[in-house]
Amino acid sequence: MKIAVLPGDGIGPEVTHEAVRVIAALDLGIDLQWAPVGGAAYKAHGHPLPADTLAVAQASDAILFGAVGDPDCDALDRHLRPEQAILGLRKALTLFANLRPAQVFAGLEARSALRPEIAALIDMVIVRELNGDVYFGEKGFRTNAAGEREGYDVMSYSTSEVERIAHVAFRTAQGRKRRVCSVDKANVLETSQLWRDVVIEVARAYPDVAIEHMYVDNAAMQLVKNPGHFDVVLTGNLFGDILSDQASMCVGSIGLLASASLGAHQTAHGTFGLYEPIHGSAPDIAGQGLANPMATILSAAMLLRHSLGLAPAADRIEAAVAAALADGVLSRDLGGNARTTEIGDAVLTRL
Ligand code: IPM
Ligand code: MG
């Protein structure tokens, strides 16, 4: 079994280091191969996703990804910016299904931005489409009729793109509380009207799953008003990006949310995928030992479960994380003062 480890920028290497320690401690006979991505790769090799890195990723059973983003690179042409590494991997490897589970950990209810009794009910998975939408449409700058400079990004979804992500959401719901809430903006956008039409069609194949449709502005409101309402949230690339950050603060910190990005490709042990915390590179706290590694450790657990067929090991990691959090091992984002490596140690102890 081979894992490609792509630590990236900012706090990426610190949080990835802790997740790798956890994987190594389980002694699963996994081969790890490191490769540069993001601003770090641009600085060393002139490209955020060097061909060698893509090759390492392609030769693996799964990718453990830290974070990308570097303010030094803000002025570069867009195709050379660090973010293109993650967008490029998702696209090149057809990782179209992004699963972002959000649930409140026992004992952390009061860390939520919401009232504890409301936060306690959170247990959802956001199923975010990852290969289409305004992220990957035609984009550029042009001069309009008035001689003004304008920017544009085309939003679109094809029927098959919506179908395949809808199936993932319904199947995910079948393993949970059997409810899908599809989020769109069909009252304004044709892309969303198509999305809704296709989801309604796909839903017919899943009579055992309840489907509802919600406009994204209302979904943003319901997410803080009554987050316990949601089981599986199915949505597009842009809305999913925004709602998952919002969900993280309902849980308590963006440092707690893991993610799996899956495609159709099967490996010997499961589904090929990329696993990353939903947070970014946090350059403001990089290198200070303040980063919360839990989201990356939980991403490693998802990796073992989905790509390597090692569900018992994944369960053990998740239990160790929950136990450390319940014992008050909290980083600064959660109001504590535990340092990044101390948190890794605490998880290892409980393993
Ligand atoms: C995420 C991130 C990325 C995204 C960025 C880094 C390109 O915000 O994974 O949520 O927008 O998808
Ligand atoms: Mg995001």
Side-chain angles (χ1 to χ4, degrees):
M1 296 181 283
K2 275 195 218 148
I3 300 180
V5 182
L6 315 182
D9 304 321
I11 60 170
E14 298 161 59
V15 293
T16 307
H17 181 75
E18 299 311 313
V20 165
R21 284 211 295 150
V22 170
I23 293 172
L26 289 169
D27 204 13
L28 298 163
I30 297 170
D31 180 41
L32 302 168
Q33 222 177 335
W34 275 259
V37 274
Y42 173 77
K43 285 172 181 166
H45 306 282
H47 197 278
L49 181 57
D52 287 353
T53 297
L54 185 57
V56 168
Q58 273 163 333
S60 69
D61 296 301
I63 303 161
L64 181 66
F65 191 94
V68 289
D70 180 343
D72 291 353
C73 299
D74 282 353
L76 293 174
D77 277 355
R78 188 162 298 281
H79 75 282
L80 293 174
R81 295 211 203 149
E83 290 76 7
Q84 296 306 311
I86 186 62
L87 298 175
L89 282 165
R90 290 170 181 171
K91 194 72 172 175
L93 304 173
T94 326
L95 302 169
F96 65 87
N98 190 208
L99 310 184
R100 300 190 157 186
Q103 80 275 328
V104 164
F105 288 90
L108 291 197
E109 296 82 358
R111 302 289 163 191
S112 169
L114 308 179
R115 289 201 300 279
E117 68 275 20
I118 292 178
L121 304 174
I122 299 173
D123 181 10
M124 72 183 87
V125 179
I126 296 175
V127 176
R128 171 190 176 196
E129 200 290 330
L130 221 46
N131 277 184
D133 204 350
V134 70
Y135 268 58
F136 291 100
E138 191 196 330
K139 57 180 73 230
F141 300 102
R142 61 192 169 204
T143 306
N144 68 14
E148 232 188 317
R149 186 168 178 252
E150 69 180 24
Y152 63 96
D153 301 84
V154 176
M155 175 183 271
S156 70
Y157 265 122
S158 69
T159 300
S160 60
E161 282 176 317
V162 182
E163 279 170 353
R164 66 182 181 179
I165 192 68
H167 282 291
V168 172
F170 284 104
R171 287 198 300 264
T172 303
Q174 284 180 323
R176 297 176 45 94
K177 288 175 272 171
R178 297 178 182 267
R179 293 204 311 269
V180 171
C181 176
S182 175
V183 173
D184 62 39
K185 188 68 185 173
N187 51 345
V188 178
L189 304 173
E190 297 297 28
T191 310
S192 282
Q193 187 59 55
L194 178 117
W195 177 280
R196 189 175 285 219
D197 294 345
V198 174
V199 172
I200 287 171
E201 204 49 48
V202 173
R204 290 172 187 276
Y206 301 88
D208 54 329
V209 177
I211 173 75
E212 73 174 326
H213 303 271
M214 202 180 271
Y215 297 138
V216 63
D217 48 349
N218 184 26
M221 182 171 77
Q222 299 303 328
L223 196 55
V224 292
K225 184 179 177 216
N226 183 17
H229 170 77
F230 297 103
D231 178 24
V232 173
V233 176
L234 162 63
T235 192
N237 207 344
L238 181 64
F239 300 155
D241 179 44
I242 298 166
L243 292 177
S244 55
D245 270 32
Q246 191 186 341
S248 78
M249 292 319 293
C250 299
V251 165
S253 168
I254 196 160
L256 290 176
L257 260 63
S259 85
S261 303
L262 307 172
H265 177 59
Q266 298 296 310
T267 63
H269 318 279
T271 305
F272 178 76
L274 179 151
Y275 302 81
E276 54 171 332
I278 81 155
H279 63 67
S281 60
D284 53 322
I285 59 162
Q288 297 174 44
L290 297 174
N292 185 350
M294 290 306 204
T296 315
I297 295 172
L298 291 167
S299 299
M302 292 185 89
L303 182 157
L304 298 181
R305 177 177 295 116
H306 293 285
S307 289
L308 300 185
L310 297 170
D315 292 344
R316 282 183 63 196
I317 294 174
E318 285 164 357
V321 166
L325 291 170
D327 290 342
V329 181
L330 305 178
S331 44
R332 200 177 63 167
D333 49 304
L334 286 167
N337 54 20
R339 300 181 59 77
T340 309
T341 47
E342 290 168 352
I343 296 173
D345 289 342
V347 173
L348 287 173
T349 307
R350 286 158 183 82
L351 268 181

